[in-house]
Amino acid sequence: DTGVSQDPRHKITKRGQNVTFRCDPISEHNRLYWYRQTLGQGPEFLTYFQNEAQLEKSRLLSDRFSAERPKGSFSTLEIQRTEQGDSAMYLCASSSTPGLAVRSYEQYFGPGTRLTVT
Amino acid sequence: AQSVTQLDSHVSVSEGTPVLLRCNYSSSYSPSLFWYVQHPNKGLQLLLKYTSAATLVKGINGFEAEFKKSETSFHLTKPSAHMSDAAEYFCVVSEGGSQGNLIFGKGTKLSVKP
């Protein structure tokens, strides 16, 4: 179990540019979640996948945001035409599907990608 | 709609004294409740979880929490604080089932004085 990894750890970009983040979940987990955390706040849910299917999207996920998990393994989160308000820590988490494991509801988090939009 | 309220944004204790971080939740269903800890520049780590088994839940590093349905509370405690406990703590609720996304409180920053 190597844990959830995210790349890059830090990203500085200019307003209007596109950025893409990657998340590699724990290998046996079929659920993958994206959250956003702004300074002084708790993480907020953005979207999640079960295998390659995107099952839920938060209203926080504007049209400029898109997430994919093409083969049910790693996932990417892309932000188009970045705005200063997108500056935040983007967290990825993974878990098993409820019912398939004793600790099925536990989500394991990666270290996050800190995005700064200038 | 589910929600979590952490009653204190900042708690300061002396090393060796008890820790109490308070959390109230609102849920239409039988919830799963969690406490996560976030150390500076590190990822979120699960401290403990409640999923409708024993109401007193023991976690890592000597922390425990008690689920009180009548009070809709899930307070986190530790008998004796250690300097390494200084961090941000999040109370979290999950409806589970087909969704499973977590709803976080705003966090409580724990400071530990020597």
Side-chain angles (χ1 to χ4, degrees):
Chain A
D1 182 352
T2 57
V4 178
S5 61
Q6 292 186 247
D7 183 68
R9 295 290 303 276
H10 303 274
K11 179 70 177 180
I12 300 173
T13 191
K14 292 185 177 179
R15 188 175 54 188
Q17 298 294 306
N18 298 344
V19 294
T20 301
F21 310 139
R22 176 179 170 127
C23 171
D24 287 88
I26 293 171
S27 57
E28 61 266 30
H29 286 174
N30 55 3
R31 281 197 172 184
L32 186 149
Y33 303 80
W34 285 99
Y35 293 84
R36 181 173 68 186
Q37 184 177 21
T38 53
L39 203 61
Q41 301 294 318
E44 295 174 293
F45 169 76
L46 292 178
T47 187
Y48 90 95
F49 293 83
Q50 180 159 311
N51 300 313
E52 64 275 9
Q54 188 173 16
L55 296 187
E56 186 178 354
K57 291 193 289 187
S58 162
R59 56 182 170 79
L60 292 176
L61 211 66
S62 76
D63 291 344
R64 297 184 296 105
F65 287 68
S66 62
E68 294 183 341
R69 195 183 183 198
K71 296 182 180 180
S73 56
F74 73 92
S75 174
T76 58
L77 177 67
E78 181 183 16
I79 308 174
Q80 295 182 326
R81 306 180 302 282
T82 53
E83 302 172 356
Q84 287 188 322
D86 297 331
S87 295
M89 177 76 85
Y90 290 84
L91 297 167
C92 177
S94 69
S95 76
S96 300
T97 300
L100 296 181
V102 172
R103 301 190 296 174
S104 57
Y105 292 96
E106 287 183 21
Q107 292 185 22
Y108 295 84
F109 283 81
T113 294
R114 183 171 295 284
L115 172 66
T116 302
V117 182
T118 62
Chain B
Q2 299 182 100
S3 65
V4 170
T5 302
Q6 292 187 242
L7 299 170
D8 306 291
S9 59
H10 190 194
V11 170
S12 182
V13 300
S14 297
E15 191 174 21
T17 64
V19 175
L20 170 63
L21 305 183
R22 299 181 295 164
C23 172
N24 287 111
Y25 71 92
S26 171
S27 176
S28 304
Y29 302 86
S30 180
S32 294
L33 292 161
F34 308 82
W35 278 96
Y36 279 83
V37 61
Q38 188 174 40
H39 290 274
N41 300 315
K42 292 191 176 180
L44 286 157
Q45 181 183 18
L46 179 67
L47 272 181
L48 51 78
K49 65 174 183 178
Y50 166 77
T51 55
S52 76
T55 56
L56 182 62
V57 181
K58 293 187 183 298
I60 61 172
N61 300 333
F63 284 95
E64 62 181 39
E66 186 172 8
F67 173 72
K68 292 187 176 180
K69 187 175 181 178
S70 61
E71 298 177 10
T72 61
S73 69
F74 191 56
H75 300 335
L76 181 70
T77 60
K78 182 173 181 178
S80 175
H82 191 273
M83 295 296 291
S84 61
D85 295 328
E88 189 92 23
Y89 291 80
F90 294 97
C91 183
V92 182
V93 63
S94 170
E95 182 181 0
S98 62
Q99 295 183 309
N101 50 292
L102 302 180
I103 298 169
F104 283 75
K106 291 189 175 183
T108 298
K109 183 176 180 180
L110 176 65
S111 299
V112 182
K113 298 175 289 186

